[in-house]
Amino acid sequence: MTSAIHRDAPAWSHVEDFLRAHEADRIPHPGGTLLEHLARVAALLARWGTESAVQAAGFCHAAYGTDGFDGALLGLDDRDALVELVGPRAESLVYLYASCERAAVYPRLGRDERPLFHDRFTGSDHTPPEEDLRAFLALTAANELDVLAHNAELATRYGPGLYELFARTRDLLPAPAWAYCVRQIGPDATGM
């Protein structure tokens, strides 16, 4: 079977096998399947020079579902399985990403010095350390920009708001991520 992993992403065949076992290769997603999307997100994060734990989190970011994607590959009671697969740092980033209630958090990003994150699973609020906030934003940019690249209607509807979010937080994004954002959805980008 052909690998969905982009050639620039680390070769985590065990992660791909895990995702296939949880049917990520059968779930439709803009640009093909969820597995293809996850692999593209991990590859973008690799090209942007993020640490391997962030790339692994990108590959698994939909494991618990997200505020924008209801389908979960794993229940929250299976977090240990993901820790074993990708390590505690990557799994904690997957949880941070999945638990984020976007309507509560996105308006705070780039405005509040220490933004509160609202956990949609527990209802609690917390402030992640800056290292996690940077990883979260890189993951958010990679995920959203990949979705918008594969769905013109979503790009039209959400591109301007996401551009504004990434412009507010550009000091926390990897420089290549911000440059990619400007090229893809910036005010002068074609198709906007």
Side-chain angles (χ1 to χ4, degrees):
M1 186 167 274
T2 304
S3 173
I5 298 175
H6 187 279
R7 69 176 184 268
D8 293 341
W12 292 315
S13 61
H14 65 292
V15 176
E16 184 175 359
D17 292 344
F18 178 86
L19 293 169
R20 284 184 189 283
H22 288 84
E23 300 187 347
D25 59 330
R26 294 188 178 108
I27 299 170
H29 197 279
T33 66
L34 178 59
L35 180 62
E36 290 167 323
H37 165 69
L38 296 171
R40 289 190 305 265
V41 168
L44 265 179
L45 291 165
R47 284 196 301 272
W48 294 347
T50 64
E51 65 179 291
S52 63
V54 176
Q55 295 168 41
F59 206 3
C60 297
H61 74 268
Y64 308 131
T66 71
D67 194 13
F69 184 75
D70 289 334
L73 304 177
L74 290 174
L76 293 176
D77 54 340
D78 291 326
R79 288 184 68 184
D80 287 343
L82 197 57
V83 168
E84 187 175 319
L85 183 71
V86 295
R89 168 96 172 114
E91 188 281 332
S92 71
L93 294 173
V94 170
Y95 182 86
L96 179 66
Y97 189 79
S99 69
C100 175
E101 186 175 304
R102 295 173 182 181
V105 175
Y106 282 12
R108 297 173 179 158
L109 297 173
R111 292 187 175 118
D112 296 354
E113 185 176 330
R114 295 182 43 94
L116 281 176
F117 268 59
H118 185 73
D119 185 318
R120 69 188 183 98
F121 299 132
T122 67
S124 64
D125 291 325
H126 67 285
T127 301
E130 184 175 317
E131 177 184 27
D132 290 355
L133 181 58
R134 287 179 178 279
F136 173 85
L137 286 165
L139 178 53
T140 299
N143 173 65
E144 298 297 352
L145 293 172
D146 180 71
V147 169
L148 299 185
H150 292 92
N151 188 307
E153 187 250 322
L154 293 177
T156 300
R157 185 181 328 158
Y158 297 112
L162 287 167
Y163 181 80
E164 193 268 332
L165 169 65
F166 299 139
R168 279 195 332 259
T169 59
R170 71 176 160 244
D171 292 342
L172 297 168
L173 285 170
W178 172 241
Y180 190 90
C181 177
V182 169
R183 280 192 312 274
Q184 185 177 331
I185 61 173
D188 298 327
T190 57
M192 290 297 296

